[in-house]
Amino acid sequence: MGCENWYNLILKARDIVPNSVLGIVVRMKHLCRITFFLVAFCVTVAHSETTEFSAKLTEFSNLAKGFSKKNITPEDVETLLAAFKSILEAMKQKYILDKSQVTSFIFRYPNQKEFPDLSEHNIQNKYDEQIIKFTIATYLVFINLDDDILRKIIAKSPLELVSLLQEFDVLLQFVSADPKEFGHGVFSEKNGNQLVVFATTEAILRIMRVIVIKELLAQGGVYKLSRTTTAVLKDFQNKKPADILNDVSETMKRNTADDSRIAIFFPEKP
Amino acid sequence: MSAFRNFIIVVMAMISIASSSDFQTCRNEYERVAQLFKKETNDQEKQRLFVLVRDKAKELLGIPSDRKLVISPHIEAMCKLLDERAKNFEGESKTATGNEALKKQRESEYSREISNFLKVAAKILETMSSDITILDELLLKSPSTVLHFAHETIIMLQVLRYFLNNGTDIEGIVAIMRTFATSPLNGSYLLSVIMSLGMANPTALEASESTRTLIKQPDFSDKTLCKYLNIH
């Protein structure tokens, strides 16, 4: 039915239906239309927020792939470093600044001990252990990575930064875990501009495991850590993280398909 | 009114694009049924659901119900060309110098890796098609391995279709495989446990009995066995 016919029908209806009833019908129609648009708008905004990071990551990954295929120049390194920092800044803004109104965060234990300390974690099995250790390693990489190390890593293997961004995204999601999704989020307290996150075994296993499965294990049920995080995970009990990162940036090879990377996965029981 | 109509058209188009992805639909359906099977406690219902999971897995892997899958002869013909390509690059790398020699050596290795991948994927799929109890065991041990392996069978079948349509265009095949292997965000495709084991023991797969052993015996819960597909 065309618009004109519809309009004629309304005019005819006006002759037989009281104006008050017609008014209600018209208002209801407007209300339904506005509600529909509002719902559509909200769905679109929510969807764009969830895909925003993956779109940026894909864009960054394409850039890194382009650089990895040629001899990388100092200008290329700076370009990629700037792109990496811009994504990281946006992630910090979204997860920490917007939610907690702080500029940085540190992990601690409720007894104020410094993180990490494996004796603070009562680990039950090897699958719990991999989540605790992944959290520790990602955190240590996050707080110890500086521009010079990043430059060296980019020059050796630009694609390494893609894995690092994925891991940092998971870490930041843990820091800003939403109580609506996890029963309650991580316990934290503000200390000026810094957020002190209490990274207890309970919080890590309850929240981090869910995020890791959702974000990293979706494809094939297994995720191999970045080479940087693998190196920290293997050696953080014996060496300073900054030294490990320095060594990694010096020795990293161009090929990213490195089978010695540590795998995260969970057993399945159908 | 026209803005509203356009909006509806765009929404409908988005829905139809999303739902037209056959593989995604099939994958979701398999995951849904596998979850139902996992949660079911009633024996009779569990048995019924298992038949359903098996059907969905066969659909996902492209295993026909009415006949045995025979793809090895075509794959062998294609791999012969890939092996020749590997030999040519190896020969050229010996006469080249510096980076050029390294590049040619790598191309030779990638050719062998592609050939190995295609042979192993075809052999495993054929063996599953000839003896469905192998798939049953895999479904009980590790349903996610079936999903993971499905990605590999699809690319193998895509390459095969390209080969059958385009004959000796071996560079086209290498390009398809390179895109597949480097398309993950970190630039490297992680193989399923079953493919990793098969590619590590290609000669063992020559006998059908060995293929059965390879598929049935490993601990599929140990995903540290997963290796990267080494093509860049």
Side-chain angles (χ1 to χ4, degrees):
Chain A
M1 185 184 289
C3 283
E4 254 175 61
N5 290 344
W6 176 244
Y7 185 67
N8 288 335
L9 202 68
I10 288 182
L11 286 179
K12 272 185 195 166
R14 271 202 178 149
D15 296 337
I16 50 171
V17 181
N19 274 350
S20 57
V21 176
L22 264 180
I24 290 168
V25 170
V26 170
R27 275 192 202 112
M28 285 293 282
K29 210 175 125 192
H30 281 306
L31 200 66
C32 286
R33 200 176 286 172
I34 289 166
T35 312
F36 179 78
F37 273 107
L38 273 175
V39 170
F41 177 74
C42 292
V43 168
T44 313
V45 168
H47 185 254
S48 68
E49 270 207 6
T50 53
T51 55
E52 192 186 15
F53 173 70
S54 55
K56 277 185 181 170
L57 192 64
T58 309
E59 202 179 312
F60 181 82
S61 165
N62 290 337
L63 188 68
K65 276 179 190 170
F67 285 138
S68 72
K69 283 175 188 158
K70 59 175 197 159
N71 287 331
I72 198 158
T73 64
E75 290 76 30
D76 295 338
V77 171
E78 291 308 318
T79 307
L80 210 56
L81 179 65
F84 176 82
K85 286 171 83 173
S86 136
I87 295 181
L88 198 58
E89 210 44 56
M91 276 158 60
K92 279 187 192 170
Q93 185 85 16
K94 181 180 158 192
Y95 291 125
I96 310 173
L97 196 65
D98 283 1
K99 287 195 178 173
S100 314
Q101 302 292 309
V102 291
T103 51
S104 65
F105 69 87
I106 54 161
F107 281 10
R108 271 200 200 289
Y109 296 103
N111 59 11
Q112 293 303 320
K113 255 193 189 177
E114 269 193 35
F115 186 89
D117 181 345
L118 281 178
S119 68
E120 286 293 317
H121 298 283
N122 179 21
I123 305 168
Q124 298 297 322
N125 61 50
K126 66 174 181 175
Y127 302 107
D128 288 348
E129 189 184 1
Q130 67 185 5
I131 290 294
I132 300 282
K133 287 192 169 175
F134 167 75
T135 311
I136 290 173
T138 317
Y139 171 76
L140 290 176
V141 174
F142 186 89
I143 58 169
N144 285 291
L145 210 55
D146 62 30
D147 285 3
D148 284 340
I149 290 174
L150 278 169
R151 278 191 189 94
K152 284 186 205 165
I153 292 176
I154 294 169
K156 296 272 175 60
S157 177
L159 282 170
E160 177 69 4
L161 268 62
V162 177
S163 302
L164 284 176
L165 278 175
Q166 278 176 301
E167 288 162 7
F168 289 169
D169 180 60
V170 167
L171 182 78
L172 290 171
Q173 282 193 46
F174 169 70
V175 170
S176 65
D178 193 337
K180 279 182 209 154
E181 287 177 48
F182 299 100
H184 54 86
V186 279
F187 290 106
S188 56
E189 61 184 29
K190 267 194 218 174
N191 195 352
N193 277 338
Q194 195 176 53
L195 189 71
V196 179
V197 176
F198 297 114
T200 58
T201 308
E202 190 270 338
I204 294 173
L205 292 182
R206 184 169 49 85
I207 300 166
M208 192 59 134
R209 192 205 310 249
V210 176
I211 303 171
V212 165
I213 290 174
K214 189 176 141 215
E215 302 292 337
L216 300 179
L217 307 186
Q219 197 74 23
V222 56
Y223 173 74
K224 289 213 178 188
L225 300 182
S226 65
R227 283 173 289 167
T228 313
T229 310
T230 296
V232 172
L233 189 48
K234 281 180 178 166
D235 234 4
F236 76 92
Q237 285 167 287
N238 309 316
K239 269 166 108 175
K240 282 183 182 170
D243 292 341
I244 303 172
L245 290 174
N246 208 33
D247 290 349
V248 173
S249 65
E250 296 289 347
T251 56
M252 189 169 282
K253 284 181 184 160
R254 210 172 169 84
N255 185 1
T256 58
D258 176 359
D259 287 323
S260 68
R261 298 196 280 189
I262 291 175
I264 296 186
F265 60 93
F266 294 97
E268 319 162 85
K269 283 178 192 147
Chain B
M1 199 65 188
S2 71
F4 177 71
R5 199 171 53 221
N6 288 345
F7 177 75
I8 293 292
I9 290 167
V10 169
V11 170
M12 292 308 288
M14 278 168 68
I15 292 168
S16 74
I17 289 166
S19 59
S20 70
S21 168
D22 284 348
F23 179 67
Q24 198 56 40
T25 314
C26 199
R27 188 194 154 102
N28 292 346
E29 192 56 19
Y30 169 78
E31 278 183 308
R32 189 185 68 81
V33 182
Q35 272 300 318
L36 287 176
F37 171 72
K38 189 178 166 184
K39 285 177 187 162
E40 186 56 57
T41 48
N42 179 297
D43 279 354
Q44 213 175 356
E45 184 58 12
K46 209 169 173 71
Q47 225 164 12
R48 189 190 70 81
L49 283 170
F50 185 73
V51 174
L52 206 59
V53 176
R54 185 205 282 150
D55 286 347
K56 291 290 163 197
K58 280 166 74 178
E59 198 181 333
L60 195 64
L61 294 170
I63 297 176
S65 296
D66 54 345
R67 62 186 184 280
K68 202 181 138 189
L69 205 63
V70 182
I71 44 177
S72 280
H74 304 293
I75 293 283
E76 288 293 337
M78 184 164 47
C79 290
K80 213 172 161 186
L81 294 177
L82 282 162
D83 293 340
E84 268 172 33
R85 182 182 185 269
K87 273 183 197 158
N88 290 342
F89 272 111
E90 202 172 352
E92 285 174 26
S93 76
K94 282 173 186 156
T95 52
T97 53
N99 273 349
E100 201 54 36
L102 203 65
K103 217 173 157 184
K104 288 184 188 295
Q105 184 58 37
R106 277 187 187 150
E107 277 304 320
S108 165
E109 284 163 17
Y110 297 157
S111 265
R112 290 214 167 88
E113 183 89 342
I114 294 170
S115 167
N116 191 11
F117 172 88
L118 295 171
K119 278 182 197 163
V120 171
K123 185 75 193 172
I124 293 174
L125 192 64
E126 265 187 0
T127 313
M128 277 182 184
S129 138
S130 66
D131 179 1
I132 211 69
T133 60
I134 295 174
L135 180 62
D136 289 352
E137 266 192 58
L138 193 60
L139 286 169
L140 289 169
K141 274 187 185 174
S142 173
S144 81
T145 299
V146 174
L147 266 186
H148 202 162
F149 181 55
H151 286 274
E152 288 144 1
T153 59
I154 281 178
I155 193 68
M156 182 266 291
L157 294 172
Q158 269 178 11
V159 167
L160 183 62
R161 189 175 60 188
Y162 182 88
F163 176 69
L164 294 175
N165 289 337
N166 298 281
T168 54
D169 178 19
I170 214 71
E171 290 308 318
I173 291 168
V174 173
I176 296 172
M177 284 302 297
R178 184 170 268 139
T179 308
F180 169 72
T182 58
S183 58
L185 284 175
N186 70 356
S188 306
Y189 178 80
L190 194 62
L191 293 158
S192 62
V193 177
I194 199 167
M195 281 298 290
S196 302
L197 291 169
M199 286 180 72
N201 305 284
T203 47
L205 291 181
E206 278 160 23
S208 289
E209 207 42 55
S210 311
T211 314
R212 279 195 186 85
T213 314
L214 182 115
I215 300 170
K216 284 184 173 183
Q217 278 189 347
D219 175 9
F220 286 98
S221 66
D222 185 4
K223 292 202 166 72
T224 49
L225 298 169
C226 292
K227 303 274 182 207
Y228 286 100
L229 183 58
N230 194 17
I231 306 165
H232 288 278

